[in-house]
Amino acid sequence: MKILATLKPIVLTLCMGLALVLRGHEAEAQSTETLTVAGGCFWCVESDFESVPGVIGAISGYTGGSTKNPTYGDVGKGGTGHYEAVEITFDPVRVSRTKLLNMFLRSVDPTDAGGQFCDRGETYRTAIFVSNADEKTLAIQAIKQAQADLGQKIITPVLDAKTFYHAEDYHQDYYKGTKLVFTRFGPKRQASAYKRYREACGRDARVAQLWGSAAPFAKGH
């Protein structure tokens, strides 16, 4: 009985500690938010935003269209209405939605209605997807500010969020992948192939031309 009496407060303390840890994880999960954007090649958008402090992760996928469970091939053929998009999960205490919106608009060519850089067609158009009125207001404000800063008309639309479908596994974190792939540059590891693609596509050159020192990611590639 003495042993039980001694163990009781220890067990109680351990249980209380475990409860606090679980509550902490639950609070952290509840505090995260998501921002879904389309900015051309989703590899590039994912790569850019996973480098931002406060961003927990980014997932490449498809959204905006009507086709259910689309594949990369389906979207690439056109006619699905889907964009290549990225769902960004972030901690709003560390980075605000407004900051991410501002960074996004300055990481693409928001004046181009036909695609992005070397990637042409409806799949590669830019867009910001919103789930409620507050998100829509912030997106519109960010576009107005970007348009004033750029001095050119921005055509990036603000669209109501639809189902976001995750892209195939091989698209996730492609920019840092190690698998060997065959490209027009010859056999390359994914990370190397990504760098060659990004440079050849002219993404950073065009963004730097448009936004200059305000471009948040062009200098890092």
Side-chain angles (χ1 to χ4, degrees), residues 83-98:
Y83 294 71
E84 279 200 11
V86 173
E87 184 180 72
I88 302 163
T89 301
F90 64 99
D91 179 353
V93 174
R94 298 179 60 200
V95 61
S96 69
R97 181 178 297 273
T98 294

Side-chain angles (χ1 to χ4, degrees), residues 184-197:
R184 57 177 169 148
F185 309 112
K188 299 283 182 185
R189 297 294 176 186
Q190 285 176 315
S192 177
Y194 165 75
K195 289 179 181 177
R196 292 292 296 272
Y197 154 75

Side-chain angles (χ1 to χ4, degrees), residues 163-177:
T163 302
F164 181 87
Y165 298 97
H166 289 199
E168 295 81 349
D169 288 345
Y170 69 88
H171 286 299
Q172 308 301 335
D173 293 325
Y174 190 94
Y175 71 96
K176 57 185 178 183

Side-chain angles (χ1 to χ4, degrees), residues 34-38 63 85-88 97 101 127-130 161 164:
T34 59
L35 168 64
T36 302
V37 294
T63 195
V86 173
E87 184 180 72
I88 302 163
R97 181 178 297 273
L101 286 167
I128 298 169
F129 298 91
V130 298
F164 181 87

Side-chain angles (χ1 to χ4, degrees), residues 33-54:
E33 296 182 15
T34 59
L35 168 64
T36 302
V37 294
C41 170
F42 47 26
W43 299 342
C44 298
V45 179
E46 182 184 343
S47 169
D48 287 343
F49 281 90
E50 284 194 338
S51 71
V52 177

Side-chain angles (χ1 to χ4, degrees), residues 190-210:
Q190 285 176 315
S192 177
Y194 165 75
K195 289 179 181 177
R196 292 292 296 272
Y197 154 75
R198 183 162 180 149
E199 182 179 358
C201 199
R203 186 183 188 98
D204 296 304
R206 175 56 178 157
V207 169
Q209 180 186 43
L210 270 176

Side-chain angles (χ1 to χ4, degrees), residues 85-128:
V86 173
E87 184 180 72
I88 302 163
T89 301
F90 64 99
D91 179 353
V93 174
R94 298 179 60 200
V95 61
S96 69
R97 181 178 297 273
T98 294
K99 181 174 181 178
L100 292 176
L101 286 167
N102 290 339
M103 295 178 80
F104 167 69
L105 290 166
R106 290 160 181 78
S107 68
V108 295
D109 180 354
T111 69
D112 188 348
Q116 285 292 285
F117 318 108
C118 68
D119 294 316
R120 313 310 300 165
E122 64 177 16
T123 302
Y124 298 104
R125 294 169 297 164
T126 60
I128 298 169

